[in-house]
């Protein structure tokens, strides 16, 4: 199948620090890709290049190509607002807006021109149902998002990202700060979302990568070491470094 995203010879620097090195990868549409590797190997940096969040990092420099449906997202003519609508991002720590639960989800659609209250109500309800929050918050939609638990806040942030109908969802260790119950909910959500859009999830949890992903990429010291179907990569890795990492020899 044609890739939804294709990265070609990507190099990223933070000042003089060369973080990603000649990295190339094709990410298929409507599948879940897990990115694994030890801390500091460049996993989160790769995510940030895929919707140009990297441009917010002082001293960052990017070379290479990142194609979304065959179009280079670093083309100066690409509107950032539209790019980040198409390629949403969920961070490691929940970052709800200082607004009500309702306004957190409605914020994106409003920015993109949805003004009809009935339509906004429908979007908010549907997105909260997708992430399993509706029954928990439907009677307090006007309460502050900060009144929610950490796990609920993370699910709210996912609902906010989904409200603008992205084609790609980037998730940077979305479960690392969560309790087991919310982790299970989000893992199940990742699996279901992978049938509707392209999901790229960074995780330190090897077992989680095996549970939720269709494909896995192993990055080490800024280079792509191995990439393939998750079952194959975990059961019979080609590269010894991959085998050692998966088996817990280092990391």
């Amino acid at each position: 199948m044609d890739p939804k995203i294709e990265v070609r010879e990507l190099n990223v620097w933070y000042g003089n620090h060369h973080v990603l090195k000649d990295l190339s990868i094709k990410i298929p549409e409507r599948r879940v890709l897990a990115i694994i590797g030890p801390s500091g190997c460049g996993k989160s940096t790769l995510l940030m290049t895929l919707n140009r969040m990297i441009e917010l990092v002082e001293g960052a420099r990017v070379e290479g190509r990142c194609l979304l449906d065959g179009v280079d997202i670093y083309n100066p003519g690409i509107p950032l607002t539209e790019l980040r609508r198409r390629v949403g991002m969920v961070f490691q720590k929940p970052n709800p807006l200082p607004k009500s639960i309702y306004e957190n989800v409605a914020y994106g659609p409003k920015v993109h021109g949805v003004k009809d209250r009935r339509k906004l109500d429908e979007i908010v309800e549907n997105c909260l149902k997708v992430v399993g929050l509706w029954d928990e918050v439907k009677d307090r939609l006007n309460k502050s998002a900060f009144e929610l638990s950490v796990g609920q806040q993370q699910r709210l942030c996912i609902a906010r990202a989904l409200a603008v109908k992205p084609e790609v969802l980037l998730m940077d260790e979305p479960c690392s700060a969560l309790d087991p119950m919310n982790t299970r909910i989000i893992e199940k959500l990742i699996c279901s979302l992978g049938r509707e859009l392209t999901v790229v999830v960074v995780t330190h949890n090897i077992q989680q990568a095996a549970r939720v992903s269709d494909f896995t990429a192993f990055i080490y010291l800024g280079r792509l070491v191995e990439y393939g179907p998750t079952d194959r990569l975990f059961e019979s890795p080609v590269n010894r470094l991959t085998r050692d990492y998966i088996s817990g020899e280092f990391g």
Side-chain angles (χ1 to χ4, degrees), residues 51-53 55 73 77-85:
N51 71 349
R52 292 175 58 179
M53 291 290 289
E55 294 179 349
I73 66 171
I78 300 291
L80 271 180
T81 302
E82 177 61 14
L83 172 64
R84 290 177 184 157
R85 183 199 67 78

Side-chain angles (χ1 to χ4, degrees), residues 64-242:
R65 305 190 72 193
C66 293
L67 308 178
L68 176 64
D69 290 331
V71 178
D72 194 340
I73 66 171
Y74 284 87
N75 186 315
I78 300 291
L80 271 180
T81 302
E82 177 61 14
L83 172 64
R84 290 177 184 157
R85 183 199 67 78
R86 296 178 65 193
V87 185
M89 190 158 182
V90 175
F91 297 91
Q92 181 175 0
K93 293 182 179 179
N95 61 338
L97 301 172
K99 298 175 180 288
S100 70
I101 295 167
Y102 181 98
E103 288 299 331
N104 263 269
V105 184
Y107 178 80
K110 284 182 176 181
V111 167
H112 291 279
V114 179
K115 301 191 186 315
D116 182 78
R117 178 70 185 203
R118 240 181 240 180
K119 181 63 176 173
L120 289 170
D121 289 349
E122 181 183 331
I123 291 170
V124 170
E125 180 175 347
N126 287 343
C127 290
L128 290 175
K129 283 180 174 177
V130 167
V131 301
L133 261 183
W134 176 251
D135 290 338
E136 299 172 31
V137 304
K138 63 183 178 183
D139 296 324
R140 48 181 177 141
L141 294 175
N142 293 322
K143 297 290 186 180
S144 168
F146 295 123
E147 294 184 14
L148 299 175
S149 70
V150 173
Q152 289 174 323
Q153 287 184 25
Q154 187 68 305
R155 285 188 278 152
L156 179 66
C157 291
I158 296 172
R160 186 180 71 205
L162 295 176
V164 294
K165 298 182 177 179
E167 300 163 35
V168 179
L169 186 61
L170 311 174
M171 308 182 83
D172 192 358
E173 297 193 59
C175 303
S176 65
L178 306 186
D179 58 79
M181 183 192 75
N182 278 288
T183 295
R184 284 194 296 271
I185 292 172
I186 290 180
E187 285 186 358
K188 185 177 179 181
L189 176 60
I190 290 170
C191 293
S192 63
L193 288 174
R195 297 192 288 269
E196 305 295 329
L197 62 157
T198 300
V199 181
V200 184
V201 56
V202 161
T203 179
H204 269 107
N205 188 322
I206 301 297
Q207 291 75 27
Q208 183 175 80
R211 286 193 297 266
V212 305
S213 67
D214 302 295
F215 295 87
T216 298
F218 171 50
I219 297 177
Y220 183 64
L221 297 179
R223 297 187 185 275
L224 180 62
V225 175
E226 191 164 347
Y227 172 49
T230 295
D231 290 346
R232 197 276 301 157
L233 188 140
F234 275 80
E235 292 170 8
S236 54
V238 174
N239 193 291
R240 180 177 179 177
L241 201 59
T242 309

